[in-house]
């Protein structure tokens, strides 16, 4: 039995997380739990620290203080192998971050071969399977510039999934898309949620959060103001700050 198969605790635990840039505190003591197989959507106004929280979980930003555990492993411990942690946590950004000089297929195979040490045939088979899941198998030979924004984001999701992560982080994956392209990306994410993929999603898509989230977390001013079931937070928020935010976006 592997460590991954044996572990039954939370996928992600954030404990009293603080993050400052110079004299500006962006995160002021965050506590958050993401259970395995759950979908946690983080909402809130711009500048509330949502993206910084996500980047700390994947150690793209080093926390100022506090602890982050991924599947029981304290990733904030300086002795932790950061590369090994990132291999277990897929991340999709606002911008697609595809390699412009590589084809769609090559975008999905290069990390598999270099990080996972898969042979070319295996990497291609995995890439094609993931592209099929996001409806883009017919575009394997296209360059990123030949794709729409929505297609590029779906390729980015497929690329993350090709690395066989234990969980997925999404940082406002639809914010850079034209409105008519948002639906296809959200459909892929709905499919992942239905399949039981553990997901931590920073989003402004309230309808998506209402539909698929196991838990909704509202952040403002670098702290968690309110959290709970999607139906409770989005339909009957208790905190006046949550109420004010939702009154503007719904």
């Amino acid at each position: 039995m592997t460590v991954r198969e044996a572990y039954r605790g939370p996928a992600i635990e954030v404990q009293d997380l603080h993050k400052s840039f110079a004299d500006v505190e962006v995160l002021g003591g965050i506590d958050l739990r993401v259970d395995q197989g759950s979908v946690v959507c983080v909402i809130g106004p711009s500048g509330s620290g949502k993206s910084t929280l996500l980047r700390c979980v994947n150690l793209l930003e080093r926390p100022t203080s506090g602890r982050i555990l991924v599947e029981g492993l304290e990733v904030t411990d300086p002795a932790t192998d950061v590369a090994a942690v990132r291999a277990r946590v897929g991340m999709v950004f606002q911008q697609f971050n595809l390699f412009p000089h590589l084809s769609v297929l090559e975008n999905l195979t290069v990390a598999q071969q270099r990080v996972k040490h898969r042979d070319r045939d295996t990497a291609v088979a995995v890439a094609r399977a993931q592209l099929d899941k996001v409806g883009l198998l017919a575009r394997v030979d296209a360059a990123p510039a030949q794709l729409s924004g929505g297609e590029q984001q779906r390729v980015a999701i497929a690329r993350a999934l090709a690395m066989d992560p234990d969980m997925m982080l999404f940082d406002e994956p639809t914010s850079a898309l034209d409105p008519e392209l948002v639906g296809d990306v959200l459909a892929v994410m709905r499919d992942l949620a239905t399949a039981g993929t553990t997901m931590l999603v920073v989003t402004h898509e309230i309808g998506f959060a209402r539909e698929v989230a196991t838990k909704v977390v509202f952040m403002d001013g670098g702290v968690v103001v309110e959290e709970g079931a999607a139906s409770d937070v989005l339909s009957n928020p208790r905190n006046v700050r949550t109420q004010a935010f939702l009154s503007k976006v719904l």
Side-chain angles (χ1 to χ4, degrees):
M1 181 178 290
T2 66
V3 172
R4 176 176 173 178
E5 292 169 337
Y7 182 74
R8 292 293 181 265
I12 301 170
E13 285 185 279
V14 178
Q15 301 173 353
D16 194 25
L17 183 67
H18 292 256
K19 176 61 181 179
S20 297
F21 295 97
D23 296 329
V24 179
E25 186 175 60
V26 178
L27 299 177
I30 299 291
D31 292 296
L32 179 67
R33 173 178 170 138
V34 180
D35 290 323
Q36 293 192 62
S38 69
V39 178
V40 176
C41 287
V42 183
I43 63 172
S46 298
S48 59
K50 307 183 302 295
S51 293
T52 300
L53 168 63
L54 216 62
R55 292 174 65 85
C56 284
V57 169
N58 208 25
L59 296 182
L60 296 173
E61 298 288 353
R62 276 284 180 182
T64 303
S65 64
R67 301 172 75 229
I68 299 172
L69 292 89
V70 173
E71 296 183 327
L73 176 67
E74 185 181 348
V75 300
T76 40
D77 184 336
T80 297
D81 183 345
V82 175
V85 172
R86 287 180 180 155
R88 296 158 67 179
V89 183
M91 187 158 182
V92 177
F93 300 87
Q94 297 177 32
Q95 302 298 329
F96 323 121
N97 294 338
L98 300 178
F99 297 113
H101 62 291
L102 299 179
S103 70
V104 165
L105 184 66
E106 291 167 333
N107 264 279
L108 268 72
T109 57
V110 62
Q112 291 188 65
Q113 293 177 271
R114 294 182 181 179
V115 178
K116 288 285 191 178
H117 306 295
R118 291 173 177 160
D119 61 70
R120 169 80 179 165
D121 289 345
T122 300
V124 168
V126 171
R128 291 178 65 87
Q130 294 300 341
L131 287 169
D132 191 32
K133 286 183 182 178
V134 301
L136 290 173
L137 184 56
R139 306 305 304 273
V140 291
D141 295 322
Q146 296 174 303
L147 305 178
S148 70
E151 288 173 330
Q152 290 188 59
Q153 192 62 293
R154 284 151 62 197
V155 170
I157 294 172
R159 179 176 62 179
L161 293 172
M163 299 298 288
D164 192 28
D166 293 359
M167 64 202 73
M168 291 286 291
L169 310 180
F170 292 88
D171 186 7
E172 298 198 27
T174 61
S175 64
L177 302 180
D178 292 333
E180 66 269 23
L181 303 176
V182 169
D184 289 340
V185 173
L186 293 182
V188 170
M189 295 173 66
R190 286 189 191 94
D191 288 344
L192 292 175
T194 301
T197 305
T198 303
M199 297 162 61
L200 177 58
V201 184
V202 170
T203 184
H204 60 274
E205 300 288 346
I206 303 300
F208 171 81
R210 188 189 305 276
E211 181 182 349
V212 306
T214 310
K215 178 169 65 177
V216 169
V217 176
F218 173 68
M219 287 182 61
D220 193 17
V223 299
V224 172
V225 175
E226 186 168 350
E227 65 177 286
S231 58
D232 294 334
V233 175
L234 299 178
S235 299
N236 190 30
R238 299 184 306 275
N239 191 283
V240 293
R241 292 160 76 185
T242 316
Q243 294 168 7
F245 172 76
L246 289 173
S247 70
K248 294 178 181 178
V249 301
L250 291 178

